[in-house]
Amino acid sequence: MCGIFGCILREGSAVKQITEGLKRLEYRGYDSVGVATIDHGELEIRKDAGKIEDVVARHRILDMKGSIGIGHTRWATHGAPTMVNAHPHADGSRSIALIHNGVIENYMELKEELLEKGHEFKSRTDTEVMPHLIEEELKTGVSLQGAFLRALRRVRGSYAFVVLSTVEPDKIYCARNESPLVIGVSENGVYCASDVPALLPYTNKVNYLRNGEMAVLTLNGYQIIKISDGSTVERGLTDITWSPESAEKLGYTHYMLKEIHEQPSSLRDALRLQERYLNLLTTFLDRGKEVFLLAAGTSYHSCIAGSYLFSRLARLTTVPIISSEFIERYGSSVGIDSIVLAVSQSGETYDTLKAVDYARMRASTVLGITNTVGSTLTRVSRAYLIQQSGPEIGVAATKTFTSQVLVLAQMALKLAKLRGKLSQDELDEFQEKLLRVPEWVEETINKQEERVKELAKTHMDDRFFVFLGRGISSATALEGRLKLMEITYVPSLAYPAGESKHGPISVVEDGVSCIFVCPQGDSHSHILGSIMEMKARGAKIISICEEGDEQVKKLSDEVVEMPREIPEELSPIVYVVPLQLLAYHMAVLKGLDPDKPRNLAKSVTVP
Ligand code: AGP
C-alpha cells in the first residue's frame, strides 16, 4: 500500500496541502516520499528515501511552486526504498510525472517493449513503465487523455495512478483498479487521494473511483470515464461523516479489524508475485539437501502450514523451526547443503536474523519471504520474495499470515511442477483453487462475522480455550490460539488434536471450550474422533467446518460454517479468518485495545 495525494487549487500552494495530506496517509507506507508540481508550465519533482518530515526538510519541498501537484508516500513492493525508486516517476522527456499504488503484473514485458523503442529507465520499480508508456502513446498524436487510456488498457494488475503533465498543465488524470482512489471537491479546489483521511481537512464531499474508471480533474470539477470503452460515468458527490481519526482506519474502529477486512485485497496482491523471484527461490529449494523454514510467532505458524504444502504438493520434506531454537537445535548440523527459508513480516525480528546470520556463517543458503522491502532480511538473503501485504499496523498479525501461507502455497505448486510431482490436470486444478482464495475469504467475512460476534459474546467470560486441528489445520489452530491469547490475554492451549491422549486432555473438563478446525479432507475422519474425545469430558465444542458438514455439526455445540470446495491444503488461509474475528471481537467486548496489546511490539527487534 502507498499513500497518494493530488490537488488543483484556486489559491495557495499545492505543496503545502500535498505534504499535509501525505502525513495523514503515512500509515499506508513510509519508506520514501516524493512530490511533483507544475508552475508556469514547468514540471518539478523532488523525492527521496526516508520519512515524510525528513525528505520534506532535506529537499526543501515546501519551497516548490505551483497550485497544482501530486505526492506519494511509499511502501515498497518492487525495488528497495531509494531516491531513484521513490515516486513520482517521469517519462524520458520529463513532461509527465506519475505516482502509483499497487502492483503491475506485466511490467517486465512492457519494459522490454519500451527498452526496444529506446526508452531508458532509472529505477527498479514496476511503476516507471507507465509514464514511458503514456509518452509512447502520445507520439501517435492522441491527446493526453487518449494516451493515458491506451496505456491503461495495456496494464494488468492493481493500480491507483495519478498523472501530472506539462502537456495539459491545468489537469490531473487518475485511474483505479483495486487500489483505492477517492476524489474530493471543495470551494478552493479539487483533490484525489488514496483514502479519505487526507481529504477531510479540506472537504467531506467525495466520490470514490471504482475499478476500471479514470477521472480528469480540473478547477471546474471532475469527469469520470470508463477505461474499457471511454464512456462517461455520471456519479455525484457523497458526504463523509467520519472524524479524521476514525477515517485513518477507513471507519473501522481498529487497524486490526481494517486489516482483517483487507485480506481479500492483500491476498490478490499476494497472487501477483514477481515470477522471476518465485522461480529463483523454487530453484534453490529444489537443490537443497535439507530445507528449514525459519520464523517466529505467527510467521512460524505460516511455516508449519508451508511444511505440509511442500510435502503434499512437491514431495519435499521441510523442517519448520522456531527462530530462537534454531542454533541450539540445528546449529551443529546445518552446512553448505542446507537451505534456510526465513519468513518474517517485518524482516527485522532479532531471533530470526540471528539464526540467519548463523546459517550464513555455516555456508547455508538463506532465502527470505518478507513484507518489508529494504528490511535487513532482504539484505542478508541470497534471494527473497516480497509478500505485498501493505503495512500492517495492528500488533497482531492477520493479513500478513494469510499472505505468507498463500506465497508458500504458490512456491510449493511451482516446486511440484519443477519436480514433476503433480500431473498437469492436478497443477491446473490447484492453480484455479489458489485464485479463488480471496473470494472465499471475502465470503467468509461477509457471511460469518455476525455469527462470530455472537460466539465472542457467548464465550467472553470463558477462562480457558483449547484450539485443536489435525494435519495442516494444526497450524490454523496454533495461529487462532495465538490471536486470542495475544489480544484478550485469555490463557489458551493449541496442539495437533491427535496429541490429546498423550497428556493435554487432562486439562479438559466440564465447560472448557474446545475450538476445532475441521475442513473436509484427509484429516476429517480423525478430527471427528478428537471431537468425541473432548465431548465425552464435558467440553463445549465449537467447530469451524464446511457448510453442511452434518457429521461435525451433530457433534458440536456451536459451529461456524465455511464456504464449500476449499481444499484442505489452502484451508489455513480461510479457516483462520473466523478465529481472527473471534479474537478481535472478544478483545473489544472485554474493553481491550486489539491494536496495542500489553507487553507486545509489532516487531521484536531485541533478544
Ligand atoms: C503475531 O501476531 C505477533 N505479532 C508476533 O508473533 C509476530 O508474528 C512475530 O514477532 C514475528 O514477526 P515477523 O513476522 O515480523 O518476524
Side-chain angles (χ1 to χ4, degrees):
M1 283 200 302
C2 305
I4 279 179
F5 188 91
C7 63
I8 310 170
L9 304 181
R10 297 188 195 293
E11 289 173 13
S13 122
V15 76
K16 182 173 181 305
Q17 296 198 7
I18 291 170
T19 48
E20 289 167 356
L22 291 180
K23 194 67 190 148
R24 281 187 288 276
L25 293 170
E26 203 166 24
Y27 63 90
R28 295 183 60 84
Y30 36 76
D31 60 42
S32 43
V33 184
V35 172
T37 59
I38 290 179
D39 182 43
H40 294 95
E42 289 296 314
L43 175 69
E44 184 181 6
I45 298 175
R46 297 185 193 184
K47 63 180 186 176
D48 204 347
K51 291 209 173 302
I52 292 172
E53 52 274 7
D54 299 340
V55 175
V56 168
R58 196 182 316 146
H59 292 271
R60 304 174 63 81
I61 282 182
L62 291 175
D63 293 349
M64 295 173 78
K65 303 288 183 226
S67 58
I68 182 170
I70 60 177
H72 184 273
T73 177
R74 186 172 181 237
W75 181 271
T77 56
H78 293 58
T82 60
M83 177 187 283
V84 76
N85 287 335
H87 300 207
H89 289 286
D91 64 319
S93 65
R94 288 188 73 80
S95 63
I96 300 168
L98 175 137
I99 53 183
H100 170 222
N101 174 26
V103 175
I104 300 176
E105 279 174 50
N106 60 330
Y107 85 97
M108 282 308 294
E109 66 188 72
L110 294 171
K111 189 164 186 173
E112 275 146 29
E113 178 191 312
L114 291 161
L115 284 166
E116 280 165 21
K117 291 177 178 171
H119 290 261
E120 291 177 4
F121 292 89
K122 297 183 172 59
S123 79
R124 294 170 57 86
T125 66
D126 54 336
T127 304
E128 195 182 3
V129 300
M130 199 57 189
H132 287 267
L133 210 50
I134 297 169
E135 179 186 26
E136 196 57 34
E137 293 298 346
L138 277 172
K139 289 175 185 169
T140 65
V142 294
S143 66
L144 180 57
Q145 176 170 316
F148 187 36
L149 272 173
R150 285 186 180 181
L152 288 167
R153 289 167 185 155
R154 306 254 351 250
V155 164
R156 284 199 318 274
S158 58
Y159 56 76
F161 289 127
V162 181
V163 177
L164 187 65
S165 172
T166 55
V167 174
E168 294 179 16
D170 56 354
K171 290 178 183 171
I172 286 177
Y173 285 91
C174 51
R176 182 225 165 138
N177 188 46
E178 290 186 21
S179 299
L181 200 58
V182 58
I183 295 167
V185 178
S186 75
E187 292 297 316
N188 186 40
V190 181
Y191 304 80
C192 60
S194 305
D195 282 335
V196 164
L199 300 178
L200 282 181
Y202 314 115
T203 180
N204 69 340
K205 298 193 175 314
V206 302
N207 187 320
Y208 287 91
L209 264 192
R210 292 177 188 162
N211 287 347
E213 291 182 345
M214 184 200 95
V216 190
L217 311 186
T218 68
L219 273 179
N220 301 325
Y222 61 89
Q223 183 185 39
I224 299 174
I225 291 158
K226 259 194 187 161
I227 294 167
S228 56
D229 59 12
S231 60
T232 304
V233 175
E234 294 303 329
R235 191 167 61 241
L237 294 163
T238 51
D239 289 350
I240 292 292
T241 56
W242 292 334
S243 68
E245 201 272 336
S246 72
E248 221 167 77
K249 303 175 189 102
L250 294 188
Y252 291 104
T253 318
H254 297 97
Y255 282 112
M256 181 176 175
L257 186 60
K258 171 173 170 282
E259 287 149 7
I260 291 170
H261 281 246
E262 266 172 4
Q263 289 181 113
S265 168
S266 52
L267 287 165
R268 285 190 195 99
D269 280 342
L271 287 168
R272 295 186 174 111
L273 300 174
Q274 296 189 58
E275 192 78 15
R276 57 180 168 161
Y277 295 120
L278 187 57
N279 292 332
L280 181 58
L281 267 72
T282 307
T283 306
F284 277 116
L285 290 174
D286 185 43
R287 285 185 198 151
K289 285 244 179 347
E290 57 182 6
V291 179
F292 295 95
L293 306 180
L294 177 79
T298 287
S299 299
Y300 170 64
H301 300 152
S302 309
C303 291
I304 294 174
S307 66
Y308 285 90
L309 285 158
F310 281 119
S311 174
R312 294 281 287 267
L313 299 179
R315 313 292 188 263
L316 171 74
T317 298
T318 56
V319 179
I321 174 70
I322 288 176
S323 302
S324 55
E325 288 297 309
F326 179 75
I327 296 175
E328 284 86 345
R329 196 156 168 191
Y330 298 109
S332 309
S333 56
V334 293
I336 197 159
D337 294 329
S338 309
I339 302 282
V340 175
L341 174 57
V343 180
S344 172
Q345 186 282 128
S346 63
E348 299 298 346
T349 296
Y350 174 86
D351 294 334
T352 303
L353 295 176
K354 183 167 177 245
V356 159
D357 284 348
Y358 193 91
R360 291 175 71 211
M361 182 269 291
R362 301 276 301 181
S364 303
T365 300
V366 172
L367 308 175
I369 295 175
T370 183
N371 190 35
T372 313
V373 179
S375 61
T376 305
L377 182 60
T378 62
R379 292 198 297 276
V380 299
S381 297
R382 182 76 167 60
Y384 64 85
L385 256 180
I386 299 297
Q387 63 185 74
Q388 303 180 148
S389 310
E392 188 173 65
I393 310 297
V395 166
T398 49
K399 63 175 181 173
T400 53
F401 169 76
T402 49
S403 288
Q404 283 170 351
V405 179
L406 191 53
V407 168
L408 289 163
Q410 292 173 82
M411 286 176 84
L413 188 65
K414 189 68 84 173
L415 191 57
K417 182 174 183 178
L418 182 68
R419 299 180 133 198
K421 299 297 182 186
L422 294 178
S423 69
Q424 191 55 52
D425 286 351
E426 289 170 321
L427 290 168
D428 294 345
E429 187 190 350
F430 196 81
Q431 179 62 29
E432 269 169 44
K433 300 279 188 182
L434 277 175
L435 297 176
R436 293 190 61 192
V437 163
E439 84 184 54
W440 282 325
V441 168
E442 195 150 30
E443 181 185 336
T444 301
I445 293 171
N446 294 340
K447 284 188 178 174
Q448 298 302 338
E449 182 158 18
E450 286 313 309
R451 171 83 189 101
V452 173
K453 269 185 186 172
E454 289 163 19
L455 275 179
K457 208 165 189 171
T458 309
H459 297 278
M460 67 177 283
D461 297 323
D462 286 16
R463 316 254 340 124
F464 179 70
F465 288 87
V466 180
F467 289 76
L468 297 168
R470 289 191 77 120
I472 198 167
S473 292
S474 58
T476 318
L478 283 162
E479 177 55 16
R481 170 258 195 151
L482 178 59
K483 289 293 90 65
L484 191 80
M485 275 204 316
E486 247 188 311
I487 64 174
T488 69
Y489 318 141
V490 176
S492 308
L493 198 55
Y495 55 86
E499 189 61 9
S500 297
K501 52 191 170 300
H502 300 286
I505 199 166
S506 61
V507 302
V508 177
E509 58 189 10
D510 192 42
V512 167
S513 292
C514 284
I515 298 177
F516 282 90
V517 181
C518 27
Q520 290 293 354
D522 297 350
S523 310
H524 187 266
S525 57
H526 302 306
I527 203 79
L528 293 175
S530 302
I531 295 176
M532 286 187 274
E533 246 179 1
M534 295 304 179
K535 198 171 178 62
R537 285 157 182 79
K540 285 183 280 186
I541 306 299
I542 304 166
S543 297
I544 318 290
C545 64
E546 185 176 273
E547 187 185 342
D549 184 340
E550 293 312 323
Q551 287 181 300
V552 169
K553 288 168 73 172
K554 200 165 54 188
L555 293 169
S556 305
D557 299 299
E558 296 160 298
V559 295
V560 177
E561 294 190 72
M562 304 296 286
R564 297 173 192 273
E565 298 174 23
I566 299 172
E568 191 172 27
E569 295 84 353
L570 297 176
S571 63
I573 305 170
V574 193
Y575 279 59
V576 77
V577 173
L579 303 180
Q580 295 171 339
L581 289 168
L582 179 67
Y584 171 79
H585 287 295
M586 199 177 286
V588 170
L589 284 170
K590 288 170 170 285
L592 301 169
D593 180 352
D595 284 342
K596 303 187 187 78
R598 68 187 183 196
N599 311 333
L600 298 177
K602 183 60 188 170
S603 176
V604 184
T605 55
V606 293

